[in-house]
């Protein structure tokens, strides 16, 4: 009975009042790597709220910029998603050593529904105190071709073979395993892989634009369940079928 906790009270002795009580309480799914989660943004809350809560153990400070907000217009498994309108909307979070990847494995994932296809910044690491030069970090982008790519140390590293479309919810993941980057789209591993073993020392991130240009690569999409896992290259063969675990 996985996921079910059973508790009971003894049968009363003869003459005692009361009935035997059995209580079934559902325990939600648990993440075996939750201690490695550097940030977890379910993007849940009240419609039109600009409060974004980090549900990882780090409880990062998340700052909403521009018009980014929660909306009930589109959602995946929660009541809301974050909507970025393509003009100056972005989120920043950190600093935290939980976002410092070093040379280790990591997984960055999110649900995303693009309102149109263009050049968009999905996730960028940022140095303490401001934008990184991308020599100590990277930016994960969608290109105007509909392909995912990574920019680091002055060059694009490898476009996905898969082409994404507008108005479709996708679960996308960027994974580094022993210095090799791969993409997953709805659980399927894209054929593109490349080596990127750089020591990433940034401790902040920005979602929705470039760290050194808030008007560059502005995201036009809905986003939900953004999760950053540090030190673990997650393996999964299908997209999540429910909200991400909070413990």
């Amino acid at each position: 009975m996985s996921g079910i906790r059973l508790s009971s009270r003894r049968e009363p002795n003869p003459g005692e009042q009361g009935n035997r009580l059995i209580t079934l309480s559902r325990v939600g799914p648990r993440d075996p790597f939750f201690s490695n989660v550097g940030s977890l943004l379910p993007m849940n809350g009240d419609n039109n709220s600009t409060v974004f809560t980090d549900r990882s153990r780090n409880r990062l400070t998340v700052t909403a910029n521009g018009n980014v907000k929660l909306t009930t217009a589109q959602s995946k498994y929660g009541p809301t998603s974050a909507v970025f309108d393509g003009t100056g909307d972005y989120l920043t979070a950190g600093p935290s050593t939980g976002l410092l990847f070093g040379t280790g494995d990591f997984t960055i994932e999110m649900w995303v529904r693009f309102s149109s296809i263009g050049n968009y910044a999905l996730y960028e690491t940022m140095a303490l105190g401001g934008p990184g030069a991308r020599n100590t970090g990277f930016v994960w982008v969608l290109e105007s071709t509909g392909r995912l790519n990574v920019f680091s140390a002055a060059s694009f590293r490898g476009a996905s073979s898969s082409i994404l479309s507008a108005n479709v919810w996708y679960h996308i993941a960027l994974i580094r395993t022993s210095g090799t980057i791969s993409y997953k789209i709805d659980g399927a591993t894209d054929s593109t892989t490349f080596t990127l073993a750089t020591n990433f020392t940034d401790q902040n991130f920005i979602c929705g634009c470039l760290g050194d240009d808030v008007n560059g690569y502005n995201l036009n999409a809905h986003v939900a369940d953004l999760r950053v896992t540090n030190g673990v290259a997650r393996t999964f063969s299908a997209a999540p079928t429910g909200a991400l675990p909070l413990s």
Side-chain angles (χ1 to χ4, degrees), residues 143-240:
E143 299 179 322
S144 59
T145 58
R147 301 178 190 271
L148 300 172
N149 210 331
V150 171
F151 187 90
S152 182
S155 66
F156 285 100
R157 297 310 184 97
S160 67
S161 59
S162 303
I163 299 175
L164 306 186
S165 300
N167 302 315
V168 177
W169 277 106
Y170 293 102
H171 181 261
I172 59 174
L174 177 71
I175 304 171
R176 182 164 76 173
T177 309
S178 299
T180 297
I181 295 288
S182 62
Y183 307 110
K184 277 186 176 286
I185 301 170
D186 290 339
T189 302
D190 188 82
S191 61
T192 296
T193 62
F194 52 90
T195 298
L196 188 59
T198 304
N199 180 17
F200 294 132
T201 59
D202 297 345
Q203 298 185 38
N204 301 259
F205 76 79
I206 185 168
C207 172
C209 71
L210 298 177
D212 56 0
D213 182 5
V214 296
N215 294 310
Y217 277 63
N218 288 143
L219 181 59
N220 188 13
H222 291 82
V223 174
D225 276 352
L226 191 162
R227 180 170 65 180
V228 181
T229 309
N230 193 354
V232 177
R234 291 184 182 265
T235 58
F236 44 85
S237 57

Side-chain angles (χ1 to χ4, degrees), residues 40-84:
L40 174 56
L41 304 182
M43 311 298 191
N44 289 338
D46 295 330
N47 190 40
N48 294 321
S49 173
T50 57
V51 176
F52 293 84
T53 303
D54 179 70
R55 298 298 301 272
S56 74
R57 293 181 177 179
N58 297 315
R59 294 295 191 262
L60 301 183
T61 298
V62 182
T63 303
N65 301 271
N67 298 317
V68 61
K69 62 183 180 179
L70 300 175
T71 178
T72 56
Q74 288 289 337
S75 63
K76 191 57 185 175
Y77 294 116
T80 55
S81 66
V83 58
F84 300 78

